[in-house]
Amino acid sequence: MGFVLFPAVLFLTAISYYQPSPEGLRWSIPWVPSLDINLSLQLDALSFVFVGLISCIGFFVQLYALAYMKGKAERFSFHLYLTLFMLSMLGLVLSDNIILLFVFWELTTITSYLLIGFNHEKEKSRKNALQSLVVTGAGGLALLAGLILLGQIAGSYELSTIIDKAINDAQSVSEHAYFTPSLVLILLGAFTKSAQFPFHFWLPGAMAAPTPVSAFLHSATMVKAGIYLLARLSPVYAQSEVWFYSLIIVGGFTALWSAVIALMQKDLKLMLAFSTNTILGILTLLLGIGSETALAAAILFILAHAFYKASLFMVVGNIDKATGTRDIRLLYGLKAVLIFSFASGLIAALSKAGIPPLLGFLSKEYAYKAGLEVHSIVMLALVIINGVMVALALAVISRPFLNHTIKDNPTVKSIEAEVGFWIPPMVLACCSVVVPTLGLGWLNEYVLSTAIFEINQVDQSSPVKLWHGFNLPLLMSGVTLALGLLIYKYMSSLTQLLNKLLAPLPIATQVFEQCMSLMVKTATWQTQKLQQRRLSVYATLFFTVFAAILLLNPLKIPSDFLARILTVELYEFAIAFLLILSAIACVFSTSRLLSIAALGAIGFLMTLVFMIYSAPDVAKTLLLVETLMVVFVALLIRHLPHFSTVKQHGKRRRIFHAAIAGIIGLSITALLIAITDSPLHSPLADFFSQNSVPGGHGRNIVNVILVDFRAFDTMGEAIVVVIAAIAAISLFKTTSLQKNRIQSLIFGTTAHIVAVLMMVFSLYLLLRGHNSPGGGFIGALIAVIGLTLLIFAESPQYVRERLGYKPMNIALFGVFLSLLAGVIGFAMGEPFLTGIWWKQILPLGTPLIFDVGIYLAVIGGVLEVLLRVNEELD
């Protein structure tokens, strides 16, 4: 029952906090303040309309689902998904930050996917769930791009700020270069979500979901998200002709086309589903018109459609439960058994048909008034569309309930003894009567006038009234009813004619499947061409593309380059010469040992370069990394093939490789020359040098950056090391207990002594790193190299026994310590990973805890890989 009561509590909370003013109630806390992304929520009139519908209808849908899903093993999961779906939609309509809005937008996509595919044992459910996910997910990507552009236009991602700027500085917003692209992208997102043509096909496919999902999805949630977005952003884009014509044309055509397709359906749920497409098209059209009357009609249509559509879906669900079918051709004589369902469906169908004094009539009247303000073509389209709605309403009620008697259909099960089957549809259907007759005054005073102003800054000149006397819209309502009766009378003939006329046209779902199939075939072909499971192919492709990019804008060497060459010291020439010589030896050597030695020489010479140019921390790190690389290669050398047995590349390919290498090498050289030609000015370097001691309590600027100013990056790198180690060791299965791989008394004795000294030295580097060259990462590499000597002298098992703990556990404990260092600062009211010092007690602080964590994480991660490689190769 908790799932049922939760939306009711939300509804009551929304009413208690609601303030009928354009500003509404706003609540915000920083989320990513550097990007102007906040957890901002706003409850105003427009969002209140949707919050009320989502929570109110959500309550009755959950109540109905209790009866509908009774006896199902997965009912808890179903109610949970339904609640998450509701919360996602509530977050969407309450968001006052467009990035937060997008997050909830995508959550509705994901939760709807879970609900549509709830009966996952059925192929149709899986297929239709994936279809909705792909269509709405793709639209979500377009929406994200559009929202980011909109944020750039306004200089803020806060929705209220964007709208204020659009109202107060409309010219600068509309003339911005990003205005039209953002408009188009946002329309794509809204059209896919609200199933506008040509994206209309996914919504009827969502009927694969259980009936409570259909009732909620179509009446109050996901499909209304696009309508909400269009309404919310109307103040920004409503003055644009692109906006006006896009909404008028797309909305009108969607409504007309979906109405035609709805007539051709035989499944009751599909008839209702396509009629939802029709209403969504009308809502889009009304928002495109954007006048006071059109906006009033849109809000009334949203309310009317929510009440009668949820009720009708529940009635259809009852019919399905009672008879086992939804085929309108097979249903008859249900009135005597499903009495309450018939009464609920009748009221809802009358509202759908636009019979006074129901809410559907009121919304239709105002839609006709809005159509008269635009063009006679719009008015004619609305009459035809609403005529089809009348025919569908008659068909949904008349054929299942009024054709024949129950005596002719004895197979119907009586399900209405369970009150959960009929109370929710009855209450929702009655809302269509209560709201226009008893609640219209409250609706005018507290919702409509404010919501209309919020959508398009249009003041409501007169309140909405149920009766306006005998006028043209009322006459059009009479014409609509007559047209609907005529369509219903000749529905069979009309359906046959439509099937014949539309047969040559492609079916949207088939087009989608063909597009998906083509995409899969293209991806398969591309994968076969590019991903051949050969590292040489990947490297060639990468460097070829890189070289092409570099050639697009070649750098010029400064004119004073030759003069600067003369200032280079002799030892610098010597290092450069040795680097080139090592590279040539590495490429042309036919000896494995010589190639490895040359490769190592390149790394050690680069270490010397960093030492010369005053980067001792970088030099030490590089030296140790190169040493570890040599260790790894030494482990693998016995398993590498002799170069003489490796097939040589052809002459053309070698020339091509040489050309690519030359282009990249020369381009990078030119880039470095150009960089050094310009005076280096880095305000960051000045900031760190000035704040290293007062802010980070350390004189080693590099280490202070790593463990204080940019500690979050360092922690991420340590976690990456641990994750990489886990991934690597998962590939190995062998555990070797072999001992004394190198049979040497001198080496064995020396290795033990040196390993201990290196461990002590690693601790020394760890503890001195905050004020002198060193630190956790460098100390960890020293420790790993020392332990590697023991691996060679003894065995991997020997090292494991001496450690006492699994290296992976040590690594994970190191990550925990790093997180703990961040949590301490957070608990003391500072941002996560802020350094906290206790200088008054001891010269210690959380950066030391953090650095110890990095030290242990690197030791554990790298050592585990070394041990497992040794064990595997043994």
Side-chain angles (χ1 to χ4, degrees):
M1 285 298 294
F3 289 117
V4 177
L5 295 176
F6 182 63
V9 172
L10 287 176
F11 179 66
L12 295 174
T13 304
I15 290 179
S16 63
Y17 280 98
Y18 174 59
Q19 299 174 2
S21 64
E23 296 78 18
L25 178 68
R26 193 169 185 274
W27 176 82
S28 179
I29 60 171
W31 185 14
V32 189
S34 60
L35 297 177
D36 189 33
I37 301 174
N38 304 312
L39 295 174
S40 303
L41 302 177
Q42 183 172 10
L43 180 65
D44 56 10
L46 180 59
S47 58
F48 178 72
V49 170
F50 286 89
V51 168
L53 285 178
I54 295 162
S55 55
C56 179
I57 294 181
F59 168 75
F60 289 107
V61 168
Q62 291 275 24
L63 186 62
Y64 177 75
L66 282 178
Y68 191 88
M69 300 297 291
K70 191 173 183 178
K72 301 282 187 180
E74 308 86 359
R75 62 185 305 185
F76 177 83
S77 298
F78 180 82
H79 284 283
L80 177 62
Y81 294 161
L82 206 58
T83 302
L84 292 174
F85 186 38
M86 178 183 64
L87 290 174
S88 301
M89 190 65 194
L90 284 171
L92 190 156
V93 300
L94 288 172
S95 295
D96 192 45
N97 185 283
I98 55 178
I99 303 301
L100 181 64
L101 183 148
F102 170 76
V103 171
F104 284 113
W105 183 280
E106 290 302 282
L107 284 174
T108 62
T109 297
I110 295 168
T111 49
S112 67
Y113 168 77
L114 294 173
L115 288 167
I116 295 169
F118 187 77
N119 298 321
H120 52 81
E121 68 280 358
K122 299 179 181 178
E123 182 183 356
K124 184 179 179 181
S125 296
R126 299 194 301 270
K127 179 182 174 183
N128 290 355
L130 181 62
Q131 179 179 272
S132 70
L133 180 69
V134 170
V135 174
T136 57
L141 293 176
L143 175 66
L144 176 60
L147 292 177
I148 291 173
L149 293 179
L150 180 59
Q152 295 299 309
I153 293 172
S156 172
Y157 290 124
E158 293 295 292
L159 193 52
S160 52
T161 304
I162 293 170
I163 293 173
D164 287 342
K165 182 166 184 179
I167 295 168
N168 300 321
D169 194 9
Q171 186 174 0
S172 67
V173 172
S174 61
E175 292 178 355
H176 198 283
Y178 292 161
F179 181 79
T180 301
S182 69
L183 185 155
V184 173
L185 291 167
I186 287 171
L187 284 182
L188 280 173
F191 287 169
T192 53
K193 201 74 161 184
S194 287
Q196 299 297 293
F197 187 89
F199 311 108
H200 62 290
F201 58 90
W202 75 262
L203 183 54
M207 293 304 95
T211 297
V213 177
S214 302
F216 204 25
L217 180 75
H218 284 253
S219 61
T221 49
M222 184 172 167
V223 294
K224 296 286 175 66
I227 300 300
Y228 169 79
L229 184 68
L230 295 176
R232 181 59 80 187
L233 294 180
S234 283
V236 181
Y237 296 112
Q239 305 307 316
S240 168
E241 290 189 357
V242 177
W243 177 269
F244 174 78
Y245 286 110
S246 296
L247 267 60
I248 291 288
I249 294 170
V250 174
F253 185 79
T254 300
L256 196 58
W257 179 255
S258 299
V260 170
I261 301 300
L263 277 176
M264 301 165 59
Q265 303 306 312
K266 305 303 179 187
D267 186 308
L268 285 172
K269 280 183 76 173
L270 285 177
M271 292 173 71
L272 294 178
F274 278 105
S275 70
T276 298
N277 282 109
T278 301
I279 298 302
L280 294 172
I282 293 174
L283 289 171
T284 302
L285 184 148
L286 292 172
L287 290 172
I289 296 173
S291 64
E292 173 206 335
T293 308
L295 296 180
I299 296 172
L300 291 171
F301 246 120
I302 289 170
L303 295 173
H305 175 256
F307 293 137
Y308 75 67
K309 186 55 64 72
S311 180
L312 284 174
F313 265 113
M314 292 177 188
V315 170
V316 170
N318 292 348
I319 292 173
D320 193 11
K321 279 281 186 181
T323 65
T325 182
R326 299 192 303 262
D327 192 327
I328 198 169
R329 296 167 296 184
L330 305 177
L331 295 168
Y332 58 90
L334 303 180
K335 181 178 67 172
V337 178
L338 303 179
I339 302 171
F340 294 111
S341 296
F342 170 64
S344 306
L346 181 61
I347 298 171
L350 291 175
S351 181
K352 180 182 176 70
I355 303 298
L358 282 81
L359 192 56
F361 165 76
L362 187 62
S363 60
K364 182 183 63 177
E365 290 293 289
Y366 273 82
Y368 282 162
K369 286 183 179 182
L372 289 171
E373 294 174 353
V374 182
H375 200 278
S376 57
I377 295 177
V378 175
M379 186 67 185
L380 177 62
L382 287 172
V383 170
I384 295 172
I385 292 164
N386 283 316
V388 175
M389 292 296 102
V390 172
L392 291 173
L394 285 169
V396 168
I397 294 301
S398 175
R399 294 191 179 182
F401 290 103
L402 301 179
N403 280 1
H404 309 292
T405 64
I406 189 61
K407 294 178 181 178
D408 301 318
N409 192 2
T411 60
V412 179
K413 293 183 291 185
S414 178
I415 63 169
E416 291 189 344
E418 181 75 50
V419 295
F421 278 114
W422 61 267
I423 285 181
M426 179 64 77
V427 173
L428 290 173
C430 289
C431 287
S432 297
V433 181
V434 174
V435 171
T437 55
L438 301 179
L440 200 55
W442 184 89
L443 200 65
N444 274 312
E445 182 179 356
Y446 290 97
V447 177
L448 283 173
S449 58
T450 309
I452 289 170
F453 181 79
E454 288 168 358
I455 294 173
N456 214 4
Q457 305 302 299
V458 178
D459 289 315
Q460 188 180 18
S461 58
S462 58
V464 171
K465 294 187 293 184
L466 183 60
W467 179 251
H468 288 268
F470 293 96
N471 53 17
L472 186 56
L474 184 63
L475 176 62
M476 290 297 99
S477 292
V479 173
T480 301
L481 291 175
L483 178 62
L485 289 170
L486 190 64
I487 293 172
Y488 175 71
K489 183 177 181 180
Y490 297 102
M491 184 178 282
S492 298
S493 302
L494 188 58
T495 300
Q496 292 176 4
L497 177 62
L498 288 172
N499 280 323
K500 186 176 180 181
L501 291 174
L502 300 180
L505 297 178
I507 299 174
T509 52
Q510 293 179 357
V511 173
F512 171 80
E513 289 169 6
Q514 290 170 359
C515 291
M516 291 294 291
S517 177
L518 179 62
M519 186 170 67
V520 171
K521 288 179 181 177
T522 304
T524 303
W525 172 83
Q526 183 186 44
T527 302
Q528 290 173 348
K529 292 295 181 183
L530 298 181
Q531 299 189 22
Q532 301 178 8
R533 299 183 181 181
R534 294 174 59 191
L535 184 60
S536 60
V537 175
Y538 300 154
T540 301
L541 285 171
F542 172 79
F543 287 116
T544 301
V545 173
F546 185 42
I549 293 172
L550 291 172
L551 284 176
L552 289 176
N553 189 19
L555 293 171
K556 294 181 180 179
I557 295 177
S559 56
D560 64 339
F561 175 66
L562 293 176
R564 290 166 59 192
I565 286 289
L566 298 176
T567 63
V568 177
E569 299 291 340
L570 180 61
Y571 64 86
E572 293 173 320
F573 273 116
I575 293 173
F577 175 75
L578 290 174
L579 277 168
I580 295 171
L581 190 64
S582 299
I584 292 172
C586 185
V587 172
F588 290 100
S589 172
T590 58
S591 167
R592 293 179 300 175
L593 189 59
L594 180 58
S595 294
I596 293 168
L599 192 62
I602 294 172
F604 292 129
L605 287 167
M606 286 303 302
T607 300
L608 191 57
V609 171
F610 284 115
M611 285 296 295
I612 292 171
Y613 291 104
S614 303
D617 282 282
V618 179
K620 285 182 178 180
T621 304
L622 182 58
L623 176 66
L624 296 171
V625 169
E626 289 295 334
T627 304
L628 268 179
M629 191 204 74
V630 171
V631 170
F632 270 107
V633 173
L635 289 172
L636 298 171
I637 191 169
R638 292 183 295 118
H639 302 271
L640 293 174
H642 290 279
F643 290 171
S644 58
T645 64
V646 178
K647 184 180 179 181
Q648 297 293 317
H649 291 310
K651 185 176 180 181
R652 289 184 179 179
R653 186 166 180 177
R654 281 182 285 171
I655 293 172
F656 176 73
H657 288 176
I660 295 296
I663 291 169
I664 294 174
L666 291 173
S667 298
I668 297 299
T669 302
L671 176 64
L672 292 174
I673 292 171
I675 290 173
T676 55
D677 184 53
S678 304
L680 294 177
H681 173 66
S682 174
L684 277 178
D686 296 337
F687 170 82
F688 287 130
S689 62
Q690 294 168 8
N691 290 277
S692 178
V693 173
H697 299 277
R699 290 184 294 276
N700 182 1
I701 298 174
V702 173
N703 187 263
V704 171
I705 292 172
L706 292 176
V707 301
D708 197 323
F709 294 123
R710 301 298 298 272
F712 201 82
D713 292 347
T714 307
M715 187 179 71
E717 292 165 4
I719 292 173
V720 167
V721 169
V722 175
I723 292 173
I726 293 171
I729 64 177
S730 66
L731 301 175
F732 301 130
K733 302 298 181 185
T734 305
T735 301
S736 171
L737 301 179
Q738 180 179 340
K739 295 196 178 275
N740 294 325
R741 293 175 55 211
I742 300 177
Q743 300 294 334
S744 170
L745 178 62
I746 297 175
F747 176 74
T749 305
T750 307
H752 283 78
I753 297 171
V754 172
V756 172
L757 292 174
M758 293 186 77
M759 291 298 296
V760 174
F761 186 55
S762 75
L763 290 172
Y764 169 71
L765 288 175
L766 165 67
L767 297 174
R768 78 190 291 264
H770 208 58
N771 292 290
S772 303
F777 192 79
I778 295 174
L781 294 178
I782 291 283
V784 169
I785 293 171
L787 292 170
T788 303
L789 289 174
L790 292 180
I791 294 174
F792 283 122
E794 296 291 348
S795 70
Q797 185 65 21
Y798 177 86
V799 174
R800 288 187 184 277
E801 290 171 357
R802 296 306 178 276
L803 282 175
Y805 298 96
K806 293 181 179 180
M808 212 65 246
N809 290 344
I810 295 174
L812 293 174
F813 181 68
V815 173
F816 168 76
L817 281 181
S818 299
L819 290 170
L820 178 64
V823 170
I824 291 173
F826 188 75
M828 297 181 71
E830 299 291 339
F832 183 68
L833 283 174
T834 299
I836 303 296
W837 292 86
W838 299 279
K839 289 286 186 178
Q840 297 82 1
I841 305 171
L842 289 172
L844 299 174
T846 55
L848 177 60
I849 300 174
F850 180 83
D851 218 9
V852 171
I854 298 300
Y855 176 80
L856 295 175
V858 174
I859 287 177
V862 177
L863 186 61
E864 182 65 49
V865 175
L866 273 169
L867 290 168
R868 294 302 293 270
V869 168
N870 270 273
E871 292 164 350
E872 185 74 15
L873 294 180
D874 283 343

